[in-house]
Amino acid sequence: MGETLSGKVVVVTGGSRGLGREMVLAFAGEGADVVIASRKIDGCEALAAEVREKFGRRALAVACNVGVWDQCDQLVEAAYTEFGKVDVLVNNAGMSLLYPSLDQVSEAMFDKIIATNLKGPFRLSAAIGARMAAAGSGSIINISSIEAVRPEAIAVPYGAAKAGLEALSGGLANTYGPAVRVNTIRCGPFETDISKAWTPEMRAAMVEHNALRRTGQPADIVGAALYFASDASAFCTGAVLPLDGGWK
């Protein structure tokens, strides 16, 4: 086990599965204690138990719908009550909704997409970022998508929300610097729960779209996440790292 994050406390939203799960395990493997947040507490509790057993690290499971302002505040309070600090925040929770056409996107659908992908990260980053700045250090990592810059017809509200998230990252970096670093990982197509809905044609098109000729595996996010979470990126803030296999 490495120790690049020894003594650190990391909060990961959408942390119980997919990319979030991989990052939680990686952070714990590098010596961090973790707060695992997701809408469904059972998955968070199961992963927290795995972290304790595998790595001997402390792990707190918190039920949180990041699209709800009060639940974001409750997550912040739970983390600080348990650990007294947060060194790294990973805004990983995200979602999109399928729609037949843009004119059939309801207000409720639009609001839900914006709330999860943008409003929640704003609230968590503001609340935790302010405390990080007061403490003198911290790192915030926002998980974005290639849809932020190249939105497809099936994901226009989602792309708009992720574009907002990337703008938010720059604003946060300026607001909370020099103590707090804020960076973005812009993900391409990854093999997570959402990939189960891909048709063979969709998958083939994605593979053709990037230079590495494959989709991402959840473990592919680990290197970037550890880089931004640790002192390896001490002189890096306001950056966007494409993690998309060379999307073109």
Side-chain angles (χ1 to χ4, degrees):
M1 183 176 73
E3 292 295 332
T4 61
L5 297 177
S6 180
K8 303 291 187 181
V9 176
V10 183
V11 175
V12 183
T13 67
S16 64
R17 59 186 186 177
L19 300 184
R21 172 185 171 83
E22 289 295 323
M23 287 187 281
V24 164
L25 293 172
F27 294 142
E30 290 294 329
D33 295 325
V34 293
V35 180
I36 306 163
S38 183
R39 285 178 296 175
K40 297 180 180 178
I41 191 65
D42 290 351
C44 297
E45 292 282 13
L47 183 56
E50 186 177 342
V51 165
R52 297 184 199 110
E53 181 180 348
K54 277 188 176 180
F55 305 109
R57 305 310 310 173
R58 293 171 66 190
L60 175 67
V62 180
C64 178
N65 178 351
V66 300
V68 179
W69 202 277
D70 287 347
Q71 291 191 33
C72 290
D73 291 347
Q74 290 164 15
L75 169 58
V76 174
E77 290 308 312
Y80 279 89
T81 297
E82 180 73 16
F83 294 108
K85 66 171 185 171
V86 173
D87 298 288
V88 181
L89 166 65
V90 183
N91 286 309
N92 171 68
M95 59 88 65
S96 188
L97 294 170
L98 295 175
Y99 49 85
S101 60
L102 278 180
D103 60 305
Q104 294 185 59
V105 173
S106 68
E107 183 176 10
M109 290 171 65
F110 185 85
D111 287 348
K112 187 174 184 179
I113 292 168
I114 296 297
T116 301
N117 295 290
L118 182 57
K119 184 172 80 170
F122 169 80
R123 183 57 181 167
L124 290 172
S125 297
I128 292 178
R131 296 197 193 196
M132 286 176 169
S137 68
S139 173
I140 296 173
I141 305 169
N142 290 321
I143 307 301
S144 185
S145 165
I146 53 174
E147 299 290 350
V149 290
R150 298 173 189 173
E152 299 171 280
I154 60 169
V156 174
Y158 174 77
K162 290 298 190 182
L165 180 65
E166 294 192 8
L168 177 66
S169 293
L172 292 168
N174 289 325
T175 300
Y176 293 125
V180 182
R181 297 179 296 103
V182 186
N183 294 288
T184 301
I185 301 173
R186 183 189 289 157
C187 293
F190 270 79
E191 298 283 348
T192 58
D193 287 350
I194 196 170
S195 67
K196 295 172 184 174
W198 294 347
T199 64
E201 292 76 19
M202 289 171 64
R203 186 181 298 275
M206 290 173 188
V207 169
E208 277 300 310
H209 252 299
N210 68 49
L212 295 184
R213 295 293 189 271
R214 68 176 180 87
T215 52
Q217 297 299 316
D220 287 326
I221 197 145
V222 167
L226 290 177
Y227 171 68
F228 285 133
S230 71
D231 290 340
S233 58
F235 196 53
C236 185
T237 194
V240 178
L241 173 65
L243 199 65
D244 56 17
W247 196 262
K248 56 185 180 179

